[in-house]
Amino acid sequence: SAAQVAGDVNLKVVEVPVGREPQSVAISNNSRTLFVTNMVDGTVSVINVPGGEASLAEPVRDIKVGTEPHGCVLTPDGTKLYVANSTSNSISVIDTRTLNVTKTITGVGVRPMALGIQNNKLYVTNFYAQLRQNGRTFDQNEGADDGREGRVTVINTVTDTVAKTIPLAPLDPVKVGFNSNGTTLGKIPPRNNAQGQPLFD
C-alpha cells in the first residue's frame, strides 16, 4: 500500500498485489522501482512505478529466491539487491537490470534477517544466538546466561563473499537485573538446608 501523508492527508492512493506475507520493501533511488520480499512464496516482487507516481504502480514480475526471504537492501548505486533468506541461511544477490539472481551467498550465519549496507560492506544480522567459543564445554555453555552470543556477518559487496563474523558481547547480568546467587550448571547452590546439603531450588 502507498499513502499520501504530506499535510496530514493520510490517504491510501494505491494497493498493489504481491506475494504471500510481504516482509520488507526496498525503493530505487529514482523511486520508480520497488522490491518486496514475500516470506511464504520465497519470492521478490518487482513493482514498476512510472514517473515515480505511486497511483500508477503495478507489479512486473516475481523473482524466485531462497526460503522465507525477510530483509532486503539495494546497493547505493542501485545495481544490486541483496535478500536475506532466513530459513535457507543464505543471501540472494539480484542484478536489478536483468532481474535475475546472479549469486547465492552461503555461510552467512543462522536465520539471517535484517540487512544494512555501507562502504562496500553488507551487514547481516542473525536472528538466533549461537554457542560462544570460550573454551567451555557444550554442557557448560548451553543454558548459561552467557553461553550464547549474537552475531553479525559482514559481506564484501565487491566480491559478494563473506569477509568476517562479528560476535556480540552477552548481556551483563548485573545490568539486566538477573539476581541469581547460584548456578545449577556450575553446581553452586543458592543455599543449603539445615543439614548442610545443597538445595538447587
Side-chain angles (χ1 to χ4, degrees):
S1 296
Q4 175 68 38
V5 295
D8 281 337
V9 173
N10 301 328
L11 206 65
K12 184 173 74 174
V13 295
V14 69
E15 188 168 289
V16 183
V18 292
R20 292 176 294 171
E21 273 195 42
Q23 293 292 314
S24 299
V25 179
I27 305 173
S28 65
N29 291 337
N30 61 10
S31 300
R32 296 188 180 191
T33 309
L34 306 180
F35 299 92
V36 182
T37 59
N38 304 306
M39 200 161 185
V40 169
D41 291 333
T43 60
V44 172
S45 292
V46 183
I47 298 171
N48 185 35
V49 188
E53 178 56 52
S55 63
L56 302 177
E58 58 181 1
V60 177
R61 62 177 290 187
D62 290 331
I63 304 169
K64 190 70 178 171
V65 289
T67 309
E68 295 192 347
H70 203 274
C72 64
V73 67
L74 285 159
T75 53
D77 63 5
T79 59
K80 290 193 286 189
L81 177 78
Y82 291 95
V83 179
N85 303 311
S86 64
T87 55
S88 53
N89 297 331
S90 64
I91 302 292
S92 293
V93 185
I94 296 173
D95 184 322
T96 57
R97 289 162 292 196
T98 64
L99 299 181
N100 291 319
V101 175
T102 58
K103 187 171 184 178
T104 299
I105 306 170
T106 58
V108 298
V110 181
R111 287 300 292 268
M113 298 287 276
L115 303 175
I117 194 166
Q118 186 178 28
N119 298 331
N120 296 325
K121 291 184 177 72
L122 176 70
Y123 297 90
V124 184
T125 63
N126 292 178
F127 186 72
Y128 289 131
Q130 298 299 297
L131 289 171
R132 297 178 68 200
Q133 302 296 316
N134 52 15
R136 298 192 309 215
T137 60
F138 174 84
D139 62 317
Q140 291 174 325
N141 260 339
E142 189 62 275
D145 289 339
D146 62 351
R148 288 180 175 265
E149 63 191 8
R151 294 178 184 168
V152 175
T153 304
V154 183
I155 293 172
N156 182 324
T157 59
V158 176
T159 60
D160 286 334
T161 56
V162 175
K164 64 179 178 178
T165 299
I166 303 171
L168 306 178
L171 295 174
D172 184 339
V174 174
K175 292 182 180 178
V176 296
F178 293 127
N179 295 314
S180 173
N181 60 352
T183 165
T184 303
L185 293 174
K187 296 182 173 57
I188 301 171
R191 64 190 181 91
N192 294 323
N193 63 16
Q195 290 74 39
Q197 296 168 323
L199 294 176
F200 288 99
D201 56 359

